Amino acid sequence: MEDSMYGPQQTVTHITSSDEDVTQLALPEGAVARLGRGEISDIAFSPDGRYFAVGGNIGLWLYKMPAMTPMVLRETERGLISAVAFSPDSQWIAIGNWEGDIKVSSTQHTTLLARLELPRLDEERDGVVSVEQIAFSPDGRHLAASGDQDVVYVWDLETHTLIARLIGKTEQRVHPFPDLLLFSFSPDGSLLASISKNTILVWDVVRGEKICHFCGHTNGIYAVNFSPCGSTLVAGSADGTARVWNIKSGQEENIYRHSGATLMYPFHLLTGELIVAKIYGNEVEVWNPEQDETLATIKLLENIRLVRSSDNRDQLAVANLSEIKIWKAGAPPSSNPLTILGHTRVPDSLVFSLDGKTLAGGYWEEGVRLWDIRSKHSKNSLEAHQSRAFHSVGVSTSGEIVSTSFHGKTIKVWDIEKGKMRAELLNPNKLFRRGAVAFEPTCGLLAISDAVGIIHVWDMQHWTKLHTFIGHTDWIHSIRFSQDGTLLASTSKDLTARLWNVKLGVFVDLLPFPKRPGRIGEIAFSSHYGIVAGGLFGEIRVWSIPCCETVMTIPQPDGFQKPFALIFSPCGRYLASGAWWHGTDKAPIQLWDVASGENIVTFWGHPTDIQSLAFSPDGTLLASGSYDGTILLWDMTPYL
């Protein structure tokens, strides 16, 4: 291997991971498998055509091209990657995360070249600045990055010093997409074009001076690119146009319009030919505007959030949060693009089958996936893409895995394994977009809350409504049945927790807790101890049933203060809690002894909020679903 401009490098051979062992990559201590590859935040082609990078909440995936085999998962220590870019010689990769940190390291191993931090324009501003875009200059000497304001920062990679702060209008942006191409280097690296609202600014990189600007777009600009010769600049906008300007004369050379497209993404082939990706929600038309010719149509299952061209300008990748398709120049219009599957949305609801062989996950706006516990593979299931809604999963009286989805005032109940709708229920009030749902398999009950905090209980055997519980004054976070189906507990944004008698259809009592600001999260019943637990800000509280008295509080230390996912073990002797992120590198999952309130073990695996927890029927596995888009399986045998 030749030396790069940053010094000699050793040849390192990757161990290619097959689909079978991807679930074992970079596992945290205590975990036995990872299901799903997480949400997609950014994508990039390596210029040498060997790698394809996918940045996401759990870390950085490197795929081997052209087979698109996942090779390695890295940068999992913190995760939350929001931007990815390769150096021109493909030997280095730069990543930026939600917290404004930037790392430049070797593509083939973990040698660190530079660690940088995205500055704040206003040092007194609260919070952190997420890295939105990152790019090497074509000569590899500079690195540019942008955050959530109209500012591009440029570093010298030899000295690791910030050499330019290119400031636009410095206003908080509101864009139709979170993933824009906010700036672009000229082919010789001397100029940088950046987006500031509806205007394009062109800067001298070394001097940090603005040399010209271009106006004309009437809506937000989505992407800007230089031509291969560097003489022209093209920008695509949400106004349905792509405009071409001459850098030297400052004149607009051409404008290409197309009605109906929500966004226009322009780029050039190596021949200099202009190509425009016209985005229509979940569909992209690859268009040659000069010849008015459609080269390809690419359709995804969800709305497109990312469009990226390769540095050698012969490939185009389009992606949403869980799917990637790649078009190659010269491919026939009728040919199918290369597709990368395996990335997953947020698993907001989890349940094991009664035999423990299958885990079902209800995913945000994606639907339901069934995971085979033995093989760790996703099984055929109700493709959630048939229903762009939130799904909650449970088990019916006969042991089938069922789910609900919400559509206005309609609740649809699905038999997941058969892929058929079992019932369609109508509700007088509009349903909350992510309404709380509870299944009770013993008695065959289904409880769902609506947008105004009313709980509706149905008999799943006859699909008749049994009760309507009115008392909460705002939408409901969580509802859970007791194991025998006689009681129902609920927590709400109105900062109350209530207990209901399902058999009699009446309100029982309020579950007491201190009236202080903060969310009341998940609620859970113990199967044997006659208690119910609730996750509050700063503590886990345990109440006795049916007297509704507090019997235990478990204070939560700093970093653990949002224990909003809870579940008891099948034996009822242990309680698992999962926290939302609160300042730690990872979000904690804790196991508690119910009798003593002592912490048995703490797991650190997900970089952000724990959304859901589920025990296998025999208690040997704990599944955790996170906002990072993955499910981790934890071995419980050493502890239970």
Side-chain angles (χ1 to χ4, degrees), residues 458-477:
W458 275 272
D459 178 345
M460 285 197 294
Q461 297 181 23
H462 305 96
W463 298 112
T464 56
K465 184 179 287 190
L466 297 179
H467 305 297
T468 299
F469 291 138
I470 300 174
H472 287 296
T473 58
D474 210 329
W475 58 272
I476 292 173
H477 289 298

Side-chain angles (χ1 to χ4, degrees), residues 410-457:
T410 303
I411 306 153
K412 294 183 178 181
V413 184
W414 303 84
D415 182 325
I416 301 303
E417 291 169 302
K418 294 180 180 178
K420 294 181 179 180
M421 188 170 66
R422 291 187 58 183
E424 189 170 13
L425 310 174
L426 296 178
N427 194 64
N429 301 318
K430 185 177 180 180
L431 295 159
F432 186 57
R433 186 166 176 251
R434 289 178 55 214
V437 179
F439 295 91
E440 200 295 301
T442 304
C443 301
L445 301 178
L446 169 66
I448 297 179
S449 65
D450 62 27
V452 296
I454 298 174
I455 301 170
H456 307 269
V457 181

